Amino acid sequence: MKVLVIGGGAREHALCRSLSLDPDVTALHCAPGNAGIAEVAELHGVDALDGAAVAELAAGLEADLVVVGPEAPLVAGVADAVRDRGIPVFGPSAQAARLEGSKAFAKDVMAAAAVPTARSYVCTTPEEIDEALDAFGAPYVVKDDGLAAGKGVVVTEDVEAARAHALACDRVVIEEFLDGPEVSLFAITDGECVVPLQPAQDFKRAYDGDQGPNTGGMGAYSPLPWADPKLVDEVMAGVLQPTVDELRRRGTPFSGLLYAGLAITSRGVRVIEFNARFGDPETQVVLARLKTPLGGLLRAAATGELAALPPLRWSDDAAVTVVIASHNYPGSPRTGDAVEGLAEVAEQDAPDAYVLHAGTRRDDSGAVLSAGGRVLSVTATGADLTTARRRAYRAVDRISLDGSQHRTDIAAKVADEAAQASGA
């Protein structure tokens, strides 16, 4: 089949890499893509938010499947425009994508579906904001109701910082703080059948030790040796299936990737947020472990045939991703710096470690330059997390980007604990 992927980040590079390894994918296209994606897919210049333009491109390519990567095109209705042309598309409708596009809408769906989540208030005035902050107390959790590219959430002990963030949003959700570790669980769905993927954990804070501001994600790992073996089944029964059933009941069936951000609290599993697409950087480690061909899986979801697929197959290996970010990320990042060392990684570390491009472009001479906040996702696999970490950081050390930053502790604690447990 011919596949068109929409987007240009590391998530889309991970999707394109996996799709390129699927023997049933005979042609792979990406719009707009990036310097790394160009090595596995043909790139096309198109406005990813322009549904008519994306649909026209897909029709011109005679695509058998369109995969919409980022959230903004989904909320803008790009998947609807493609479906209207009769082309199978992996990604929810604009109405169903409100599950990510509006935190308040997601809370309403969760309440109707009896999905466990944090208590919250939706606020639009300074008075409502002050009342909500006072009701919950520190630590304060303040979420922009709309899309904010992974930077719309502030968790702080400082009430003035919380209030300032809330006042900067048109509408804001203020909720109770959820204790316990966080888990990301993706599920593929065709609107009825729900197939969970393997859980992952990402690292949102910019600096080692979970310090600094929230980011779009600085690294991730999978599997989670500390997680309850029954976790996926529990989340399927109590979160994912009820949410998909509720959206179908409302007449807005959700087809595509349903992402549940979860907190494993002292009172049980609670949903922190829903996303309507693959998460970044968790996608990088989840797809690194998926052995089932990706193209057939996504097409089955897009055509309502998910229930007919055999169970997914997974590698027993662990996977770790380390994000290399630009100078000053997550503030206003510096771009245009040369990225060096990519060839060395390909020559010396593949196939155990490889580089997925996020914010990159090529200049007229063919050199790779930084073009965003998160520039690269260095991904590695290994028999265990310790091995995967070692391989990932060995590859990171080969890469040079002036002023860049990355965390040095991705998966370090859990790898040490798993090693000690196996040694004992």
Side-chain angles (χ1 to χ4, degrees):
M1 61 181 141
K2 298 177 183 176
V3 182
L4 169 62
V5 177
I6 302 302
R11 163 186 48 226
E12 287 75 36
H13 194 178
L15 288 166
C16 285
R17 179 182 181 274
S18 290
L19 288 166
S20 74
L21 299 174
D22 185 337
D24 289 334
V25 175
T26 54
L28 184 58
H29 302 266
C30 187
N34 62 38
I37 294 173
E39 297 175 8
V40 294
E42 182 179 345
L43 302 191
H44 301 269
V46 72
D47 181 355
L49 296 175
D50 186 337
V54 171
E56 189 63 31
L57 174 62
L61 294 172
E62 299 182 335
D64 300 299
L65 174 67
V66 174
V67 179
V68 183
E71 61 272 24
L74 292 168
V75 173
V78 168
D80 303 83
V82 176
R83 279 197 189 91
D84 289 346
R85 294 291 289 267
I87 301 170
V89 57
F90 182 82
S93 67
Q95 284 188 304
R98 290 180 64 207
L99 203 61
E100 177 170 3
S102 168
K103 302 291 191 299
F105 175 76
K107 289 288 188 183
D108 183 62
V109 170
M110 283 188 272
V115 168
T117 187
R119 294 179 296 120
S120 63
Y121 293 101
V122 179
C123 306
T124 56
T125 67
E127 292 76 20
E128 290 174 344
I129 289 168
D130 289 341
E131 184 178 336
L133 292 173
D134 185 58
F136 287 129
Y140 303 97
V141 181
V142 183
K143 300 180 176 181
D144 190 334
D145 179 56
L147 294 180
K151 305 183 190 74
V153 179
V154 165
V155 181
T156 179
E157 298 278 348
D158 184 344
V159 67
E160 290 305 320
R163 188 171 191 273
H165 181 64
L167 291 171
C169 304
D170 290 333
R171 185 158 79 150
V172 68
V173 174
I174 297 175
E175 62 185 38
E176 66 175 326
F177 177 77
L178 297 174
D179 65 321
E182 296 183 13
V183 173
S184 300
L185 185 61
F186 302 163
I188 307 285
T189 178
D190 57 12
E192 293 190 23
C193 180
V194 182
V195 177
L197 303 185
Q198 289 289 304
Q201 186 173 55
D202 75 334
F203 295 76
K204 290 292 188 190
R205 298 287 185 170
Y207 311 131
D208 284 7
D210 292 326
Q211 300 298 306
N214 263 352
T215 71
M218 295 299 291
Y221 69 92
S222 177
L224 313 183
W226 51 267
D228 188 323
K230 299 189 293 293
L231 175 65
V232 173
D233 290 341
E234 179 184 344
V235 175
M236 268 290 294
V239 174
L240 297 170
Q241 191 70 57
T243 300
V244 169
D245 291 345
E246 172 62 19
L247 287 167
R248 188 175 68 253
R249 186 191 68 77
R250 293 177 178 221
T252 56
F254 188 106
S255 170
L257 193 289
L258 179 57
Y259 166 132
L262 309 164
I264 313 302
T265 77
S266 55
R267 294 171 292 144
V269 174
R270 298 289 185 271
V271 174
I272 300 170
E273 64 176 352
F274 281 126
N275 290 337
R277 39 72 195 182
F278 280 100
D280 182 345
E282 300 98 318
T283 299
Q284 288 86 301
V285 292
V286 172
L287 292 187
R289 300 184 58 227
L290 179 66
K291 296 177 72 174
T292 297
L294 184 62
L297 174 61
L298 301 187
R299 195 172 195 281
T303 56
E305 300 169 352
L306 206 51
L309 281 190
L312 299 184
R313 294 181 294 112
W314 295 93
S315 167
D316 291 332
D317 282 356
V320 172
T321 282
V322 180
V323 170
I324 298 177
S326 294
H327 174 73
N328 200 43
Y329 178 79
S332 299
R334 191 175 77 205
T335 60
D337 290 309
V339 180
E340 299 176 342
L342 298 175
E344 287 76 7
V345 174
E347 291 167 4
Q348 300 181 49
D349 299 301
D352 298 321
Y354 49 89
V355 179
L356 298 168
H357 292 232
T360 65
R361 64 178 179 86
R362 288 191 185 274
D363 66 11
D364 294 339
S365 68
V368 176
L369 305 179
S370 62
R374 291 186 294 174
V375 181
L376 305 169
S377 284
V378 180
T379 303
T381 56
D384 51 39
L385 285 169
T386 299
T387 304
R389 281 193 82 248
R390 184 177 67 251
R391 289 172 172 172
Y393 279 105
R394 184 172 60 197
V396 167
D397 288 342
R398 299 192 202 279
I399 295 171
S400 172
L401 172 63
D402 186 45
S404 69
Q405 56 177 315
H406 65 270
R407 284 185 56 162
T408 65
D409 63 346
I410 302 300
K413 181 180 177 183
V414 67
D416 289 345
E417 290 172 348
Q420 291 171 9
S422 62

